[in-house]
Amino acid sequence: MSDRFIFTKFSTDCYHCKQVADQIIKAVPYQAQVACDNCGATRVFVPRIEDVTQPGTFTKIGCYDVWNLLETAECRNCHVTGPHDLTIGCRHFTVRCRNCGFTHFYKFDLEYMAKDELKV
Ligand SMILES: [Zn+2]
Ligand SMILES: [Zn+2]
């Protein structure tokens, strides 16, 4: 995938299989997903169109605590490769460029179990 944007993993206890396992995190401009390496539980997020201005919209705690990660990526806006803040919760996924502040918002779309697909 040439337009891969973020590809990382975060080890935590899976909400589905309850094991501590790598949660594989991928984001491209049109989709983001988090998949458990152990059981294959996958959550898919799609870009959110609405302008999100109220604080609180993205701070709801769902099945997970919110993960705050830092990942190096090339910004789609300023094209600088540098740190991006990832904020991932049950219902939302955001990627924010520290250089220019450009933020991708995704919202939870669906969940499925796809262990086989993880081996691709
Ligand atoms: Zn799992
Ligand atoms: Zn940027």
Side-chain angles (χ1 to χ4, degrees):
M1 210 180 323
S2 61
D3 57 355
R4 179 171 287 174
F5 177 42
I6 299 278
F7 183 33
T8 188
K9 53 176 99 164
F10 179 59
S11 186
T12 188
D13 52 321
C14 173
Y15 71 97
H16 184 255
C17 64
K18 316 293 186 201
Q19 305 294 311
V20 174
D22 282 340
Q23 304 294 309
I24 297 164
I25 299 163
K26 291 183 202 168
V28 294
Y30 54 87
Q31 192 186 83
Q33 70 175 45
V34 180
C36 175
D37 194 36
N38 184 52
C39 71
T42 303
R43 285 176 295 141
V44 176
F45 300 81
V46 293
R48 231 186 121 106
I49 318 287
E50 309 99 275
D51 183 29
V52 180
T53 46
Q54 312 103 301
T57 307
F58 282 103
T59 55
K60 290 186 189 123
I61 307 288
C63 51
Y64 279 123
D65 289 341
V66 172
W67 306 344
N68 291 297
L69 310 178
L70 186 62
E71 194 60 29
T72 298
E74 184 188 341
C75 179
R76 315 282 307 183
N77 185 52
C78 67
H79 301 289
V80 168
T81 298
H84 283 63
D85 289 305
L86 272 70
T87 306
I88 303 171
C90 235
R91 302 258 146 216
H92 68 272
F93 186 123
T94 66
V95 182
R96 181 180 180 279
C97 173
R98 282 206 178 167
N99 184 53
C100 70
F102 184 74
T103 304
H104 291 263
F105 291 103
Y106 304 89
K107 67 175 172 16
F108 178 76
D109 184 46
L110 55 88
E111 177 184 41
Y112 63 95
M113 301 296 144
K115 189 161 178 71
D116 293 343
E117 286 190 23
L118 290 173
K119 305 300 176 197
V120 172

